[in-house]
Amino acid sequence: MGKDFYHFLGINRDASLADIQKAYRTLSLKNHPTRVSTDESKKHFYRVAEAYHVLSNAKWKAVYDQFGEEGLQSGVPTTEEGGFSGVYQFHGNAETVFEDFFGGNNPFSELFGFGISGDLKEAPEFGGQFGRARPKQGDDQQKILQLSLEEAYRGCLKKLKVSKTVVNDDRRTTSIRSKTLTVNVPPGTPEGTTFRFRKEGDQEVNNIPADLVIVVEDKLHDRFCRVGPDLYYKHRLELWEALCGVWIELKTLDERMITIPINDIISPGYKKVVQGEGMPLLTDPSKKGNLILTFEIKFPQKLSPRQKEALQLTLRN
């Protein structure tokens, strides 16, 4: 079974966003490594961070509620034509979730008075010795990076020019500056993958620059559509080919020509699965998903009496 994020937070599946936030606040404070240093508390601190990261996001919560952890990891088709939810990946930094939630202030000041209690008095990550709020970082900013399926298949380096607001040397005024970022896209990168560039987003006066999050989006392809690691290809064929068999020649994303024999009778809904001809797996590019062929059968608009008679004789026997 996949992870039960509702269980991690101790809430019901019909919990509201306020309930989710309340549960995370309570459990993250209770299990924070600065306060409790057991292995179990550290594991629980990580688990509640991941659970909150998913359930506080309306998109990922909807995918998780319907398809579970597997849907987050592999993505699911959406109602939009050719749409795909993308793949969720937790960045793995529970402390970042904690700091983003509390806005960089010392949350322990409410419990211990100015953050002074044992080891907490020297905890700079919560705003210094007396619990003063440090400059708050701006909310993450997103920018879409469109990739062709060929680029996602092979991996690539993409140059991305971005403009951002920066605080000038006088610390009171701002200006716009441009910068070119390099995104290293590994083979098999799924749609929805994010690349985080620390402090490369806009900055407000007295605040820390926001992080810029680059989100991968697939360009529409003239032949293939991917769902998770699998590639889908729709082939049109004549009725006689559907009944008698056909050989399909297809160019792959890495420019190879493959021949796929179909010896079965192709009926509506029939699919042909070609093992290992899909997208490389991000975790192991030597392994690939599958190529899945679907079919659209072209029926004749009319038949002559002789053709009808011949078909009847053939199909009856």
Side-chain angles (χ1 to χ4, degrees):
M1 289 183 60
K3 299 174 182 176
D4 188 342
F5 292 138
Y6 290 97
H7 175 72
F8 290 168
L9 291 174
I11 55 178
N12 297 323
R13 296 187 71 86
D14 59 353
S16 66
L17 178 59
D19 294 330
I20 295 168
Q21 291 172 333
K22 181 179 179 181
Y24 174 72
R25 177 186 178 85
T26 300
L27 293 173
S28 64
L29 289 171
K30 179 180 178 181
N31 294 280
H32 194 278
T34 303
R35 185 180 183 193
V36 187
S37 59
T38 66
D39 290 341
E40 186 57 32
S41 66
K42 291 177 182 178
K43 290 178 183 178
H44 201 52
F45 180 70
Y46 181 95
R47 286 196 293 260
V48 298
E50 184 179 12
Y52 175 78
H53 199 248
V54 171
L55 299 181
S56 63
N57 182 292
K59 173 184 175 181
W60 297 126
K61 182 179 184 295
V63 173
Y64 176 77
D65 284 348
Q66 187 170 358
F67 300 96
E69 187 185 15
E70 183 179 356
L72 293 173
Q73 293 177 344
S74 60
V76 295
T78 65
T79 55
E80 300 177 3
E81 184 176 355
F84 183 63
S85 69
V87 176
Y88 170 81
Q89 289 181 319
F90 181 50
H91 52 64
N93 194 331
E95 194 64 52
T96 296
V97 176
F98 184 82
E99 291 184 4
D100 288 347
F101 181 87
F102 288 101
N105 294 329
N106 185 344
F108 292 102
S109 62
E110 301 177 14
L111 303 176
F112 300 107
F114 300 106
I116 303 178
S117 177
D119 295 336
L120 296 178
K121 67 173 71 175
E122 299 298 335
E125 63 268 32
F126 301 128
Q129 185 175 3
F130 298 106
R132 294 187 296 269
R134 65 182 180 184
K136 182 179 179 181
Q137 185 174 25
D139 294 335
D140 289 351
Q141 294 178 302
Q142 289 192 352
K143 187 173 182 65
I144 299 299
L145 174 62
Q146 286 200 327
L147 297 177
S148 68
L149 286 183
E150 286 83 359
E151 290 174 322
Y153 183 96
R154 294 171 174 158
C156 60
L157 285 176
K158 299 290 287 187
K159 301 288 186 179
L160 202 62
K161 188 174 182 179
V162 297
S163 297
K164 62 178 182 177
T165 301
V166 298
V167 175
N168 296 323
D169 292 340
D170 61 12
R171 299 182 180 274
R172 291 180 296 174
T173 59
T174 61
S175 57
I176 303 296
R177 297 180 189 174
S178 296
K179 184 175 183 179
T180 300
L181 302 176
T182 300
V183 184
N184 185 7
V185 180
T189 295
E191 185 175 35
T193 298
T194 58
F195 299 89
R196 180 177 293 271
F197 289 83
R198 300 287 182 185
K199 300 181 181 180
E200 291 293 356
D202 291 338
Q203 182 183 19
E204 297 178 353
V205 175
N206 295 327
N207 278 350
I208 300 170
D211 289 350
L212 180 64
V213 179
I214 308 299
V215 184
V216 170
E217 181 180 279
D218 285 346
K219 292 181 181 178
L220 288 177
H221 199 271
D222 60 349
R223 287 173 293 142
F224 299 110
C225 172
R226 70 163 161 174
V227 177
D230 297 330
L231 288 174
Y232 280 76
Y233 172 77
K234 180 183 285 188
H235 183 75
R236 296 191 65 191
L237 75 171
E238 302 287 342
L239 177 59
W240 69 267
E241 293 177 307
L243 296 173
C244 301
V246 64
W247 291 69
I248 299 173
E249 289 192 348
L250 187 60
K251 181 184 285 187
T252 63
L253 292 176
D254 57 352
E255 302 294 325
R256 292 177 294 112
M257 292 298 300
I258 59 174
T259 302
I260 305 167
I262 309 290
N263 299 315
D264 301 326
I265 292 177
I266 300 173
S267 57
Y270 175 88
K271 295 180 181 180
K272 175 69 174 180
V273 178
V274 183
Q275 300 285 339
E277 287 293 352
M279 296 293 291
L281 302 185
L282 183 62
T283 54
D284 184 359
S286 65
K287 299 178 181 178
K288 298 178 183 176
N290 298 325
L291 171 63
I292 301 174
L293 279 67
T294 61
F295 298 90
E296 181 181 331
I297 303 171
K298 183 180 179 182
F299 285 79
Q301 294 184 349
K302 61 182 180 178
L303 294 172
S304 67
R306 180 176 294 180
Q307 289 173 321
K308 291 180 181 179
E309 183 180 354
L311 275 174
Q312 288 176 353
L313 289 173
T314 301
L315 296 178
R316 282 178 179 175
N317 296 330

